[in-house]
């Protein structure tokens, strides 16, 4: 390792709407440079929704080529989706998108056969229709020798080594939440082949060196390191918290809101509230619930070609408060499509007048998300017994000033917004720790807090108004 690369790390960060390769430099603080950004999105073929994973891989190689030599590479992405490989290591088909409807009825069948209580006691996960175990039960597994989640698949193509990083594996529903090993009795009970589950890796483990053909294509070589490959695990690792009394909201296409704990919460009340216990860095538990997130706003914008988000946000700030709110977690909002039409229908269903303008829809979406954030944070506090003095909102949503202020107002707690690039910071800091440049989570978070711009939003307004608005939904 030369001095020119010893403090440089590449982060491959794949999101639901875009991907990028980021270059981090720790030689003087912590700086990020975007080497390459590329679009991502579903492809519908014959009624089925897929990811273009080969196109993503092509763009990743282009980004690594542009990034230049680094000390190591880390890969993170969204959770739950996977590819199946045959015995020769060839992909059997393009990964299906989690917003596809192929799992309709599967969660109910599993609950009837296994028991909702028994399932939660093993995997500790909230019931979401796209959890990997439901997708596998809806899939054709003929000829499948290995299942790889998306970051592990990219890592396999880069290195030729097969493995499953544990933070992302914990989202499959097939990992024992207590032992952090594959829940083989559950796998057998579900009738799934245990042989498709790869060996587990921990964040900080070396996944392998680049294949010679890959190194030749990008012009340099470095090891691929396992990081918190579930993007939320990396984001939470980079929350700039200075003590334990914090909640987090990793806000992008999804909002994942909760608290960090040393042990899972597996009570009947936790299961009834649909809270999840996902693996975090260093044995921590990400105790959280998914809120639909900025997906609602993104789909609204897609329905309004030419709309300017900045102008809409400015106009939304002037709209009447709480004219209409919706539960962002209603299943009707999950698939892509006419989001304004669905919001209008949900308003009518709940006895409210739909918004009359795009700005009104934006106000409705942001107030509704703030109510969803408030509900998740409050329930996380109640169910875990964890005191919360501040909410850290990280990810792309931290740039949305109106949403940050609404979240502070709704929660009645200060919100510290930033960094927007928390996932990338968490990715590279785990790599830097493996290289001996930083130590534990505390030092990683302190470095983020010291080097990145953050903004604090104090709660304002009448909390009772938020109480009334939330009472329309819950």
């Amino acid at each position: 390792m030369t001095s020119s690369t010893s403090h440089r790390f590449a982060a491959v960060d794949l999101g639901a709407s875009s991907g990028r390769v980021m270059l981090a430099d720790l030689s003087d603080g912590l700086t990020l440079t975007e080497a390459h950004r590329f679009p991502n999105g579903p492809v519908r073929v014959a009624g089925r929704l897929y990811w273009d994973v080969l196109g993503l891989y092509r763009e990743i190689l282009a980004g690594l080529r542009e990034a230049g030599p680094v000390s190591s590479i880390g890969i993170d992405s969204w959770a739950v989706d996977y590819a199946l490989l045959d015995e020769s290591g060839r992909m059997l088909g393009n990964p299906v998108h989690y917003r596809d409807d192929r799992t309709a009825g599967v969660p109910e069948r599993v609950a009837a056969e296994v028991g909702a209580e028994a399932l939660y006691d093993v995997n500790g996960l909230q019931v979401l229709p796209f959890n990997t175990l439901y997708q596998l039960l809806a899939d054709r597994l003929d000829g499948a020798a290995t299942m790889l989640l998306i970051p592990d698949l990219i890592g396999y193509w880069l290195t030729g080594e097969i493995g499953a990083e544990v933070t992302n594996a914990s989202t499959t529903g097939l990992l024992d939440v207590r032992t952090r090993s594959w829940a083989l009795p559950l796998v057998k009970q579900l009738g799934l082949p245990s042989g498709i589950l790869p060996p587990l890796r921990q964040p900080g483990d070396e996944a392998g060196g680049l294949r010679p053909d890959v190194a030749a294509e990008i012009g340099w070589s470095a090891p691929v390191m396992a990081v918190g490959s579930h993007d939320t695990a990396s984001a939470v690792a980079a929350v700039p918290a200075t003590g334990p009394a914090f909640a987090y909201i990793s806000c992008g296409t999804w909002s994942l809101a909760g608290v960090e704990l040393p042990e899972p919460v597996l009570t009947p009340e936790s299961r009834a509230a649909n809270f999840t216990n996902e693996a975090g860095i260093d044995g921590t538990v990400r105790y959280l619930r998914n809120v639909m997130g900025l997906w609602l706003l993104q789909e609204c914008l897609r329905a309004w070609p030419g709309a300017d988000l900045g102008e809409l946000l400015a106009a939304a700030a002037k709209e009447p408060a709480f004219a209409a709110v919706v539960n962002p977690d209603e299943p009707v909002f999950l698939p892509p499509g006419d989001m304004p039409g669905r919001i209008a229908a949900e308003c009518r269903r709940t006895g409210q007048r739909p918004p009359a303008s795009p700005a009104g829809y934006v106000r409705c979406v942001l107030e509704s998300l703030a109510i969803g954030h408030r509900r998740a944070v409050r329930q996380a506090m109640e169910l875990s017994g964890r005191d919360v003095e501040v909410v850290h909102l990280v990810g792309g949503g931290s740039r949305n000033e109106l949403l940050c202020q609404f979240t502070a107002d709704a929660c009645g707690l200060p919100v510290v917004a930033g960094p927007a690039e928390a996932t990338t910071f968490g990715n590279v800091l785990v790599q830097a720790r493996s290289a001996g440049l930083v130590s534990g989570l505390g030092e990683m978070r302190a470095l983020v807090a010291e080097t990145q711009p953050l903004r604090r939003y104090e709660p304002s307004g009448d909390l009772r108004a938020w109480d009334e608005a939330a009472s329309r939904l819950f």
Side-chain angles (χ1 to χ4, degrees):
M1 185 185 302
T2 68
S3 58
S4 61
T5 62
S6 62
H7 290 70
R8 288 161 47 94
F9 304 90
V12 176
D13 177 28
L14 302 177
S17 59
S18 67
R20 63 263 181 88
V21 177
M22 302 290 286
L23 180 63
D25 193 325
L26 277 76
S27 59
D28 183 19
L30 177 57
T31 61
L32 286 181
T33 304
E34 184 178 285
H36 185 51
R37 179 179 288 268
F38 45 94
N40 186 23
V43 180
R44 190 174 293 278
V45 179
R48 182 69 73 227
L49 211 58
Y50 297 94
W51 294 106
D52 180 14
V53 72
L54 295 176
L56 293 178
Y57 182 66
R58 178 189 63 239
E59 297 295 340
I60 289 166
L61 292 178
L64 292 175
R65 190 182 308 116
E66 186 68 24
V70 296
S71 176
S72 62
I73 303 163
I75 307 162
D76 67 73
S77 84
W78 67 94
V80 304
D81 290 337
Y82 61 88
L84 297 172
L85 308 183
D86 66 15
E87 288 186 354
S88 70
R90 295 187 181 277
M91 189 168 65
L92 291 173
N94 251 19
V96 174
H97 195 291
Y98 64 83
R99 294 190 190 275
D100 187 79
D101 63 1
R102 65 175 174 164
T103 62
V106 177
E108 294 78 8
R109 175 162 58 88
V110 171
E113 295 175 357
V114 177
E117 298 87 351
L119 188 66
Y120 192 75
D121 189 62
V122 174
N123 65 26
L125 290 192
Q126 62 187 322
V127 176
L128 295 169
F130 45 71
N131 287 348
T132 312
L133 74 90
Y134 304 132
Q135 292 199 54
L136 285 169
L137 290 169
D139 209 340
R140 295 184 60 180
L141 304 181
D142 300 345
T146 305
M147 177 204 75
L148 292 179
L149 298 171
I150 299 301
D152 301 321
L153 175 69
I154 300 300
Y156 168 64
W157 284 341
L158 291 175
T159 68
E161 301 293 335
I162 284 176
E165 189 277 318
V166 71
T167 68
N168 217 10
S170 74
T171 71
T172 63
L174 301 174
L175 196 79
D176 188 305
V177 69
R178 294 181 177 87
T179 65
R180 299 198 178 202
S181 58
W182 293 118
L184 297 181
L186 173 62
V187 174
K188 181 178 180 180
Q189 187 177 5
L190 292 168
L192 294 171
S194 61
I196 67 173
L197 302 176
L200 291 167
R201 297 176 178 139
Q202 302 299 319
D205 289 351
E206 183 174 328
L210 293 183
R211 292 162 46 105
D213 60 312
V214 173
E217 182 165 352
I218 67 173
W220 51 271
S221 186
V224 174
M225 304 300 295
V227 296
S229 67
H230 183 199
D231 51 12
T232 308
S234 279
V236 172
V239 165
T242 56
F246 72 93
Y248 57 81
I249 302 170
S250 180
C251 182
T253 300
W254 289 91
S255 284
L256 294 98
V259 294
E260 184 176 76
L261 300 174
E263 301 289 343
V265 179
L266 301 172
T267 61
E269 294 79 10
S270 179
R271 182 185 65 80
N274 212 26
F275 264 74
T276 204
N277 296 267
E278 296 174 355
I281 303 295
D282 291 356
T284 57
V285 172
R286 290 177 288 122
Y287 185 62
L288 60 87
R289 188 170 60 213
N290 284 41
V291 180
M292 199 70 75
L294 288 170
W295 166 252
L296 279 74
L297 181 57
Q298 293 164 358
E299 284 296 281
C300 283
L301 291 172
R302 202 160 65 89
W304 304 324
D308 181 273
L309 178 57
E311 293 176 359
L312 283 174
L313 289 172
K318 300 174 183 177
E319 288 285 312
F322 310 119
V325 291
V326 297
N327 177 4
D329 298 327
E330 287 292 341
V332 68
F333 298 134
L334 181 62
D338 178 15
M339 196 61 70
R342 293 174 188 171
I343 291 172
E346 187 63 17
C347 287
R348 287 189 289 266
R349 188 185 72 80
T350 53
Q352 304 174 87
R353 179 175 296 177
S357 67
Y361 277 97
V362 172
R363 178 92 186 202
C364 171
V365 166
L366 297 185
E367 287 180 336
S368 300
L369 289 183
I371 290 171
H373 292 166
R374 154 195 163 120
R375 182 171 181 244
V377 168
R378 287 188 170 187
Q379 287 188 313
M381 294 167 60
E382 177 184 350
L383 294 167
S384 69
R386 174 59 60 90
D387 292 330
V388 170
E389 298 172 356
V390 62
V391 177
H392 284 273
L393 196 153
V394 301
S398 67
R399 297 190 179 102
N400 190 315
E401 296 179 4
L402 197 56
L403 177 60
C404 293
Q405 187 62 60
F406 284 169
T407 298
D409 296 346
C411 293
L413 291 166
V415 167
V416 175
E421 303 291 354
T423 295
T424 300
F425 285 128
N427 179 320
V428 299
L429 286 172
V430 167
Q431 296 182 64
R433 185 171 66 171
S434 295
L437 300 182
V438 294
S439 56
L441 269 176
E443 185 176 338
M444 292 162 60
R445 288 172 170 158
L447 182 59
V448 175
E450 292 164 4
T451 60
Q452 303 308 310
L454 307 174
R455 179 170 176 182
R456 186 180 178 96
Y457 295 82
E458 296 293 342
S460 62
D462 187 353
L463 195 58
R464 290 172 297 181
W466 289 96
D467 294 339
E468 187 281 326
S471 70
R472 302 181 210 170
L473 306 177
F474 308 111

